[in-house]
Amino acid sequence: MRLADLKAEVAGKPCPDAFDALYLAQVDAMLRQCDEALDALHRSGYRDWKEQTHAAKTLCHQDFAAGNTSIGEDGRFYVYDMDSLTVDVPIRDLRKVLNKVMKRDLAWDLERTLTMLKAYQEVNPLTKDQYRALIAELTFPHLFFGQAQKYYEGREPGWSEAKHVDRLRRMTATELDKARAGRAAESVGRSRRRVSRGSGRSRVRRANGRFLR
């Protein structure tokens, strides 16, 4: 179900509840984030990357939860539960992992994000356009939409309405702060190259190259 369709459906309810009221109060901001994300995704060359990924059959796990990973006695990293494997661009897993980590707090931790991405870059490097696609993916309000789906599709029947409302409030705060962090990162990416001189030669460094070095 699309966010816009869900908005119309909820707005037409004769007796909206507390969750409905919160959803309707925030959904327009989330829809604007959708538009920003899709526009940025189209400008990143995402479609060509996706076609290349499908040709190469690159796999995404989709559920890197703590219970699905472990470090063995041999020091190697093991991944379990392959039921959700799919062919897709690797930023799908990156986005899911980052959202899973960051939603624990209301504020999006940009420094932790950069630390995680730097570690990823050392193993599976992404291009600058691919990082732009990742920022777009992160800007899309997956957390907000996911929480709305849980409530309206009855995915968590054991949860009280108050718990659903609290989760939606927390996901909204995370989404808004995430969008702010994404815009800040994009702004840095558009900044002019800084040149520092040392050891008798010029060193050119882009401001957004903190985890691309």
Side-chain angles (χ1 to χ4, degrees):
M1 182 181 295
R2 298 173 58 191
L3 274 175
D5 296 335
L6 185 55
K7 174 189 173 182
E9 182 178 320
V10 175
K13 293 175 69 172
C15 299
D17 57 25
F19 191 95
D20 298 330
L22 179 58
Y23 176 84
L24 291 173
Q26 301 296 338
V27 68
D28 285 338
M30 296 298 106
L31 288 171
R32 286 193 293 272
Q33 280 188 212
C34 289
D35 291 338
E36 289 179 17
L38 291 173
D39 181 60
L41 202 62
H42 292 324
R43 289 186 280 106
S44 70
Y46 175 80
R47 181 172 297 178
D48 291 339
W49 186 20
K50 195 171 183 68
E51 290 178 358
Q52 295 167 9
T53 296
H54 278 265
K57 305 301 181 188
T58 302
L59 295 177
C60 284
H61 184 273
Q62 298 200 87
D63 191 16
F64 278 112
N68 291 336
T69 61
S70 69
I71 298 177
E73 294 182 358
D74 56 2
R76 303 180 71 176
F77 184 72
Y78 291 89
V79 180
Y80 309 101
D81 190 3
M82 303 298 181
D83 295 345
S84 58
L85 278 179
T86 189
V87 174
D88 207 341
V89 292
I91 59 171
R92 182 167 187 168
D93 274 339
L94 267 177
R95 183 257 299 171
K96 285 176 174 283
V97 169
L98 285 166
N99 275 339
K100 190 182 293 289
V101 171
M102 299 302 167
K103 71 180 182 180
R104 299 171 186 168
D105 302 312
L106 297 182
W108 188 271
D109 190 333
L110 185 56
E111 286 302 315
R112 182 183 293 179
T113 301
L114 293 173
T115 298
M116 293 172 67
L117 292 179
K118 184 175 181 179
Y120 185 88
Q121 184 71 11
E122 292 172 354
V123 178
N124 186 37
L126 299 178
T127 68
K128 291 173 185 176
D129 279 342
Q130 289 168 349
Y131 270 107
R132 292 188 182 99
L134 174 61
I135 291 173
E137 265 273 14
L138 288 170
T139 301
F140 195 90
H142 293 282
L143 297 174
F144 179 87
F145 191 27
Q147 189 57 47
Q149 285 182 309
K150 282 183 180 180
Y151 183 71
Y152 291 117
E153 296 178 6
R155 296 185 182 180
E156 296 289 351
W159 287 15
S160 66
E161 181 182 328
K163 183 173 182 177
H164 277 287
V165 169
D166 179 66
R167 287 296 177 88
L168 185 65
R169 185 175 291 112
R170 293 179 64 85
M171 294 306 98
T172 299
T174 301
E175 292 288 13
L176 293 174
D177 199 62
K178 177 177 64 175
R180 177 199 58 77
R183 284 190 288 268
E186 187 69 17
S187 176
V188 169
R190 290 194 299 265
S191 65
R192 298 169 65 179
R193 287 188 299 179
R194 299 182 302 191
V195 179
S196 61
R197 297 183 179 276
S199 302
R201 64 179 181 177
S202 296
R203 179 185 174 199
V204 179
R205 179 180 61 188
R206 289 190 181 275
N208 65 340
R210 295 173 61 186
F211 49 85
L212 299 180
R213 288 178 292 194

